[in-house]
Amino acid sequence: MVIKNSEFVTSAVKSAGYPQSDLPEIAFAGRSNVGKSSFVNKFLNRKNIAKVSKTQGKTKLINFFKVNNEFMLVDLPGYGYANVSKGEQLSWGKMIEGYLNNRGNLKAVFLLCDIRHEPTEDDVMMFNFIIERGFTPFVIVTKADKLAKTKVEPRVDEFKDFFGIENVFAFSSLSGYGRDNLLKLVEEILED
Ligand code: GDP
């Protein structure tokens, strides 16, 4: 797949605010600071498209981006701020739950984890949530450039073992490592 164009469509909290669209959707989840905005920018080959919503203070919303008029990339709100209130955690959970439960055209959910760290409890919860909702989980390990090149794929294998899946892919927003693989994968998912 070649990304020819992409545009920010809207941000939403509840299903009433989701864009009306028949396009298939691919969603990305992960804790705050995992590199999700940087991933979206690099994946779409746009300098700052993911930050558009951030500068408007909309990090806690679900952001929809239309890509190639072919699919919708959905940026789910980042979780896991250390000192977030119970109420905020609850609203985050409801937002994600509402989205995964109410989106008929959702094709796949990717979970982003930092390559340097063990998955957090929240990551595991999100991972299980993806499975419970009936989706095949895909994991992207971000910031691959932080490890020596020879250490990247062995670390990917550790994530495969941890989650018990084969669908784990390393990515770097700095170098673009892994981008081609993910473009291919997204194309396959959309053709499925
Ligand atoms: P988000 O909160 O998940 O959207 O995370 P951001 O995309 O804002 O990234 C959080 C921090 O990690 C920022 O300082 C980024 O510059 C940095 N970062 C994100 N992706 C990468 C990467 O692939 N490599 C490196 N070295 N740093 C990254």
Side-chain angles (χ1 to χ4, degrees):
M1 167 181 287
V2 177
I3 305 288
K4 288 173 241 138
N5 54 68
S6 54
E7 63 179 289
F8 172 70
V9 178
T10 194
S11 295
V13 177
K14 293 183 189 161
S15 55
Y18 302 165
Q20 289 190 344
S21 143
D22 294 328
L23 292 175
E25 293 188 354
I26 309 234
F28 295 84
R31 67 172 178 76
S32 314
N33 226 31
V34 71
K36 190 152 53 59
S37 305
S38 306
F39 167 81
V40 171
N41 288 333
K42 187 71 184 181
F43 184 76
L44 297 180
N45 200 14
R46 295 282 298 266
K47 260 208 168 94
N48 230 358
I49 192 166
K51 304 277 185 199
V52 171
S53 39
K54 258 197 176 170
T55 48
Q56 293 165 353
K58 287 182 175 169
T59 47
K60 296 284 178 180
L61 302 179
I62 302 172
N63 298 314
F64 296 81
F65 303 90
K66 194 197 276 187
V67 186
N68 288 353
N69 282 320
E70 207 178 326
F71 72 100
M72 203 75 89
L73 185 158
V74 182
D75 179 10
L76 297 173
Y79 51 82
Y81 270 120
N83 46 9
V84 75
S85 70
K86 276 256 158 28
E88 272 181 275
Q89 274 179 31
L90 205 67
S91 78
W92 173 83
K94 280 196 177 144
M95 227 189 293
I96 304 267
E97 194 173 357
Y99 176 73
L100 294 188
N101 284 340
N102 288 306
R103 213 49 183 164
N105 40 355
L106 177 57
K107 294 279 237 172
V109 186
F110 283 76
L111 173 65
L112 276 65
C113 294
D114 191 314
I115 197 163
R116 297 165 300 170
H117 307 306
E118 293 305 299
T120 64
E121 269 180 40
D122 287 331
D123 291 333
V124 172
M125 191 179 76
M126 187 67 219
F127 182 83
N128 290 332
F129 205 24
I130 293 168
I131 293 176
E132 279 163 26
R133 298 270 66 82
F135 297 103
T136 304
F138 296 91
V139 171
I140 296 173
V141 287
T142 61
K143 311 188 187 181
D145 58 274
K146 298 258 191 188
L147 295 190
K149 276 208 175 104
T150 53
K151 300 244 163 87
V152 170
E153 291 310 321
R155 183 70 181 138
V156 165
D157 288 339
E158 288 177 14
F159 275 85
K160 287 181 183 178
D161 287 345
F162 181 92
F163 286 115
I165 60 170
E166 277 302 309
N167 289 323
V168 180
F169 308 90
F171 188 84
S172 165
S173 309
L174 280 195
S175 69
Y177 182 94
R179 183 174 182 266
D180 289 346
N181 265 344
L182 285 172
L183 285 167
K184 234 182 261 164
L185 178 62
V186 166
E187 188 165 9
E188 282 168 20
I189 291 170
L190 292 173
E191 279 167 2
D192 232 14

